[in-house]
Amino acid sequence: MARFFVLDDVSYCYPGSAKTGVCQVNLELEPGTFLAILGANGSGKSTLARLCCGLLKPTSGRVLVEGYSTANDEELKYIYQQVGIVFQHPDNQFVASTVEREIAFGVENRTLSSPEIRQVVDEELSRFGLMALKTAQPHSLSGGEKRLLSLADIWALKPKLILVDEPLAMLDPGTKHRITGLLQELKTRGQSMIWFTHGLAEVMWADQVLVMVDGQIVWRGRPAALLGMAEEARAWGITLPPATQVASKLGIDGPIVANERELVAALWK
Ligand SMILES: Nc1ncnc2c1ncn2[C@@H]1O[C@H](COP(=O)(O)OP(=O)(O)OP(=O)(O)O)[C@@H](O)[C@H]1O
Ligand SMILES: [Mg+2]
């Protein structure tokens, strides 16, 4: 049987650019796995995300989804149905004139009847707290509402692999908490996911982390292993959890602190 998702020595150069966007990336994802890709601004995360879903084609190497290659236009249609991307900038994603039509747009390709489509749209409006905004124009929404809509769009399509590019950027703590909860719920249901960010705290619950520097993967391992790598993290431009940074500044001995709860416990010792 074909492997679920494979990047085989993938490189990408933007036309006319001297710099390589993504350089010789290899990875394999098992179904149901949550992979985090960490990197500084300009390290190549969004470029890699676009390669993973076929919006960009590798300059060399291959992106394979269940054995189908993004390099092949005939196979791309299948890949678009299996891999959904939530863009870093949600405005890039919206195509319809109202919030409810926006969610219905992708679902209409799933050969569902009108009442079934209505049901999916209502479920997603309610899950993402967008019911009161269903007739609003997507582009008129606030940043947080746009992010929720972009997730609802992809959620409704039920792709086998979801890519989320900086899903918590520019959000208030309440909305961050809500979106994290929704994505954690997906993970417990066995959803395969790749999350691109520069902040480790967001993805401490990932199965595996890859670190990107200048388009290349420079480290891979479990998220907890990164907590004790303050110097490397600084050099790579990735952010350790605030509680870990505070504990390190205070020179707290003992196990490395991963979150606020552990910081409080360490301070009480
Ligand atoms: N359309 C483009 N044309 C030419 N170069 C580009 C283009 N898009 C991105 N790049 C370059 O490719 C490199 C990687 O950019 P990318 O957007 O993938 O980084 P990123 O890790 O997502 O950054 P950020 O954290 O700021 O979102 C950068 O040097 C960027 O300037
Ligand atoms: Mg980006």
Side-chain angles (χ1 to χ4, degrees):
M1 211 176 96
R3 289 175 294 167
F4 175 57
F5 183 75
V6 178
L7 298 193
D8 175 18
D9 222 21
V10 170
S11 296
Y12 183 78
C13 298
Y14 284 102
S17 170
K19 196 180 153 206
T20 312
V22 161
C23 189
Q24 294 183 314
V25 171
N26 288 287
L27 71 85
E28 181 166 354
L29 202 70
E30 298 291 333
T33 310
F34 168 22
L35 172 68
I37 298 192
L38 288 175
N41 293 138
S43 57
K45 301 181 297 296
S46 296
T47 307
L48 187 61
R50 286 169 187 267
L51 286 161
C52 287
C53 63
L55 286 175
L56 290 177
K57 294 189 184 194
T59 313
S60 64
R62 295 179 309 163
V63 177
L64 300 171
V65 181
E66 296 177 335
Y68 295 96
S69 169
T70 61
N72 185 334
D73 286 338
E74 314 254 294
E75 297 175 9
L76 256 186
K77 194 164 178 247
Y78 177 78
I79 291 172
Y80 287 153
Q81 286 167 354
Q82 312 309 321
V83 184
I85 179 166
V86 177
F87 289 109
Q88 181 171 3
H89 304 290
D91 279 303
N92 291 351
Q93 194 168 324
F94 303 142
V95 290
S97 57
T98 68
V99 165
E100 59 185 345
R101 280 196 212 135
E102 177 61 38
I103 298 173
F105 178 77
V107 184
E108 277 159 6
N109 293 328
R110 275 176 53 203
T111 62
L112 298 176
S113 66
S114 295
E116 284 169 330
I117 292 173
R118 185 71 259 159
Q119 192 188 339
V120 171
V121 171
D122 283 348
E123 271 171 25
E124 301 314 335
L125 286 169
S126 146
R127 187 194 312 276
F128 287 90
L130 293 166
M131 199 54 98
L133 293 165
K134 65 181 182 180
T135 57
Q137 285 182 15
H139 293 287
S140 72
L141 301 179
S142 76
E145 291 160 353
K146 282 179 183 170
R147 176 66 66 200
L148 287 163
L149 177 57
S150 64
L151 280 160
D153 268 1
I154 299 304
W155 201 293
L157 299 176
K158 299 193 171 24
K160 288 185 184 158
L161 171 62
I162 290 188
L163 313 172
V164 284
D165 192 359
E166 310 252 10
L168 306 185
M170 319 277 277
L171 299 180
D172 66 48
T175 314
K176 275 186 188 175
H177 187 72
R178 177 174 200 156
I179 288 179
T180 303
L182 287 163
L183 291 169
Q184 284 175 336
E185 183 195 323
L186 270 192
K187 158 93 171 105
T188 56
R189 283 201 257 137
Q191 174 70 51
S192 313
M193 187 160 52
I194 307 181
W195 182 315
F196 300 83
T197 180
H198 65 84
L200 178 63
E202 295 172 12
V203 292
M204 279 304 293
W205 47 289
D207 298 306
Q208 201 195 7
V209 173
L210 266 55
V211 176
M212 274 187 101
V213 175
D214 289 337
Q216 298 187 50
I217 304 299
V218 297
W219 186 88
R220 47 183 97 204
R222 310 282 294 184
L226 271 176
L227 292 172
M229 298 173 63
E231 255 177 53
E232 290 90 339
R234 202 171 307 116
W236 294 335
I238 62 179
T239 313
L240 294 183
T244 311
Q245 295 180 42
V246 171
S248 150
K249 288 221 170 80
L250 293 175
I252 291 175
D253 289 330
I256 292 165
V257 163
N259 53 44
E260 287 78 1
R261 191 174 39 76
E262 290 180 14
L263 177 60
V264 171
L267 287 169
W268 274 102
K269 267 190 192 159

